[in-house]
Amino acid sequence: MRIAIVHKDRCHSRKCGTECIIYCPRVRTGDETVVIGEDGKAFVSEELCVGCGICIKKCPFDAIDIVSLPEELGHPTHRYGKNGFALYGLPIPVEGKVAGILGANGIGKSTAIKILAGQLHPNLGNFESESAWEEILKRYAGTELFDYLQTVAKKSQKIAAKPQYIDYIPKIFTGSVRDLLEKTDERGKLAEFIPALKLDSILSHQIGTLSGGELQRVAIAACLAREADFYFFDEITPFLDIYQRIEAAKLIRELAQKRPVVIVEHDLAILDMLADTVHVGYGKPAVFGIMTRPKGVRVGINQYLEGYLAEENVRFRESQVIFEKRAHQKGSERQDLVEIPAMTKRYESFQLTVSGGTIRCGEVLGVVGGNGTGKSTFARLLAGVEKPDTGGMSTSLRISYKPQYLKADTTDTVEMHLRQVNPRFDSSLFQHEIIEPLSLQQILASPIDTLSGGELQRLAIATCLSRDADLYILDEPSAHLDVEQRVKVTRMIKHHAEGKEAGILVIDHDIYLIDMISERILVFEGAPGVLGTVAGPFDMRTGMNRFLRDLGVTFRRDQTGRPRINKPGSFLDREQKVQGEYYYYTAENS
């Protein structure tokens, strides 16, 4: 079985020589295997295509994908028209449990949820006419999904969903946080959610003035407060610190005891703690996606990281994700690049105090701490975006800065923007070190104001690292990136630091990313929103122990080396706290 995909957003027939038609061997024999439609986009006939792959290689915009799939897959659950994305399989909501979905961006997670929510009618691959519910139910007869899909067919399901991109909320709602939450409080649980998510201090704030972390917590509370038959949470962790992530996970776990919950999450530590089962989504992003049957959360995550699904006998990634058990000692050999000066910055209700420290040549310095303790303020002070009240950078060091919140406020294409940032855009080195690791080739012709959150994040990282600088500052580079993209970004940043002998400062709440990327660590402490102080830099074990002790959270590694959060109050959690080893405790530490 062969499917052909034409990415409409990348197909620009007026800008190319229609190479897909000219070089197609079937077209040369007289068949209309590839044609240009009325919309100016290419169309590939799957019946006539022989799968030679010539059009894929010749297309200058990488707009065509042709994939051979096993016949056992049968018809897709849903397909977006001719030469459109195809989804096979669906996750299974289970009463009293949290079902997680783990997979790359563009693999069909949102499509699956729209079907389960009754917002999208599955067409079983027949996009010429709408499939009747009788036919759909017949397809799923005898499966665990049958009963659930019956309720969807009867339109008797009420859905509560937290969207992935929370920055859209201020565009559709104006008013205070209190107004929004009171409108959604259908379960009468708001009094419980507000203190747990620490929303007390912002109830009178206007939605349009909230930070990313505040808006994320409001969105979670609003979804939890609704009375529904099925709850869906699309990425609860962006912009939240570890403590807030764990609190949100606890509230969702309590909800799951009464109603089915499905969650999409790229923070593996939180997904591991939160989910009971995991559906692994694999395939080729924006081409086709396959949802596996439910797996135990530990097994599912480990198989995803390994890139091999044992039950399905499918290898969907050439290399596995490996978490190094390293001592983080390499940094001791490095020379100092810059002295972080002692600084203070005062606002109306917040003060940040920086005691100083060093950043070394070729090292990645991680930054952790709760929200509201001044991490982003610190980054802006170093970058020169804001001026401190006392102290300050007195060096002529070249600094490149990626802010936490990104704006797509230009119609320039991605390529045009990157050419302006770095005149060496056409060099093989730039392509190999920036374009390829961030998978930007496919979106080079796309206007920046049309990019998704993940695409905009990758462009922002590319922009920051494309500049010639001595110090690079990246504030939350993991936001909206999937697991595989985070691993690629991690390797890229480490390589960039060592290759240029530059210092790189990374602020992030993903412990997996911080662990893989950092040689030393800065810890931000204090009273969120009131006072922030900077401690360190420390070696990884000292710094993480200090940070996690303050949060009351312990981490361990399983047999694969993967970090895992201990369940609060468990035997390992209690043992590590007694030993004072909050960070990757093993028997060797005792």
Side-chain angles (χ1 to χ4, degrees), residues 16 97 123 169 209 232 277 324 370 386 395 412 469 519 532 557:
C16 69
K97 290 188 176 181
N123 58 25
I169 296 176
T209 66
F232 168 57
T277 60
E324 301 174 4
E386 293 191 31
T395 177
D412 289 350
E519 289 184 1
R557 291 187 189 271

Side-chain angles (χ1 to χ4, degrees), residues 477-497:
S478 73
H480 304 308
L481 299 187
D482 62 41
V483 176
E484 295 184 42
Q485 290 167 344
R486 293 182 188 197
V487 172
K488 289 180 181 178
V489 165
T490 298
R491 292 172 180 164
M492 176 188 178
I493 291 174
K494 289 169 65 178
H495 177 73
H496 198 83

Side-chain angles (χ1 to χ4, degrees), residues 137-429:
L137 292 174
K138 184 178 179 181
R139 170 76 66 84
Y140 287 94
T143 70
E144 296 163 284
L145 265 172
F146 181 78
D147 292 337
Y148 181 85
L149 290 177
Q150 273 191 317
T151 63
V152 176
K154 295 174 183 176
K155 298 182 179 179
S156 59
Q157 284 278 66
K158 186 177 178 183
I159 308 298
K162 189 213 78 74
Q164 177 183 8
Y165 300 119
I166 54 174
D167 50 323
Y168 289 126
I169 296 176
K171 298 177 183 178
I172 60 176
F173 182 87
T174 56
S176 68
V177 172
R178 190 189 305 276
D179 294 336
L180 174 61
L181 293 180
E182 287 179 350
K183 284 184 178 181
T184 61
D185 190 23
E186 299 168 352
R187 299 175 60 213
K189 291 272 195 175
L190 209 53
E192 176 185 335
F193 300 149
I194 288 174
L197 294 171
K198 292 186 170 50
L199 298 174
D200 315 68
S201 60
I202 63 168
L203 289 176
S204 60
H205 293 194
Q206 295 296 301
I207 290 293
T209 66
L210 300 183
S211 68
E214 291 168 340
L215 199 56
Q216 185 74 271
R217 284 178 282 141
V218 169
I220 293 170
C223 183
L224 289 168
R226 291 195 177 278
E227 184 66 51
D229 301 298
F230 167 53
Y231 292 82
F232 168 57
F233 295 86
D234 198 344
E235 293 193 42
I236 65 168
T237 59
F239 310 122
L240 299 188
D241 60 37
I242 297 176
Y243 178 79
Q244 293 165 343
R245 294 178 183 197
I246 291 175
E247 284 302 311
K250 289 178 181 177
L251 293 175
I252 294 172
R253 287 290 308 173
E254 291 175 8
L255 173 66
Q257 296 176 8
K258 302 175 182 177
R259 293 285 187 274
V261 175
V262 174
I263 182 167
V264 174
E265 186 50 66
H266 297 301
D267 185 326
L268 296 183
I270 296 301
L271 183 65
D272 190 11
M273 172 187 176
L274 180 55
D276 296 293
T277 60
V278 166
H279 296 265
V280 176
Y282 67 99
K284 188 170 184 180
V287 178
F288 74 98
I290 303 172
M291 292 288 166
T292 68
R293 291 182 56 78
K295 301 173 181 287
V297 63
R298 182 183 63 82
V299 172
I301 293 177
N302 284 343
Q303 287 186 0
Y304 180 80
L305 294 174
E306 186 179 351
Y308 175 71
L309 304 171
E311 293 84 0
E312 293 81 0
N313 192 25
V314 170
R315 178 162 291 284
F316 60 89
R317 194 189 317 114
E318 292 182 3
S319 59
Q320 65 183 42
V321 177
I322 298 174
F323 293 95
E324 301 174 4
K325 296 180 181 178
R326 54 201 173 92
H328 304 281
Q329 293 299 318
K330 190 172 183 179
S332 60
E333 305 168 5
R334 303 192 187 280
Q335 295 180 345
D336 289 347
L337 171 69
V338 62
E339 184 80 20
I340 301 173
M343 298 181 286
T344 60
K345 178 67 177 179
R346 296 181 183 87
Y347 297 94
E348 185 177 341
S349 58
F350 177 75
Q351 177 177 322
L352 173 66
T353 302
V354 181
S355 57
T358 59
I359 300 176
R360 296 169 177 167
C361 295
E363 88 164 339
V364 179
L365 181 63
V367 178
V368 296
N371 279 340
T373 54
K375 299 185 303 301
S376 294
T377 300
F378 173 69
R380 291 194 295 270
L381 292 175
L382 288 183
V385 177
E386 293 191 31
K387 301 297 182 184
D389 296 320
T390 62
M393 298 283 283
S394 58
T395 177
S396 58
L397 208 67
R398 297 172 300 169
I399 298 175
S400 181
Y401 169 55
K402 185 203 84 69
Q404 178 182 10
Y405 303 118
L406 309 175
K407 294 181 180 179
D409 52 4
T410 176
T411 57
D412 289 350
T413 65
V414 171
E415 181 174 349
M416 189 185 308
H417 171 76
L418 289 176
R419 284 185 182 277
Q420 292 170 353
V421 174
N422 194 317
R424 298 188 297 275
F425 177 87
D426 291 315
S427 69
S428 59
L429 184 65

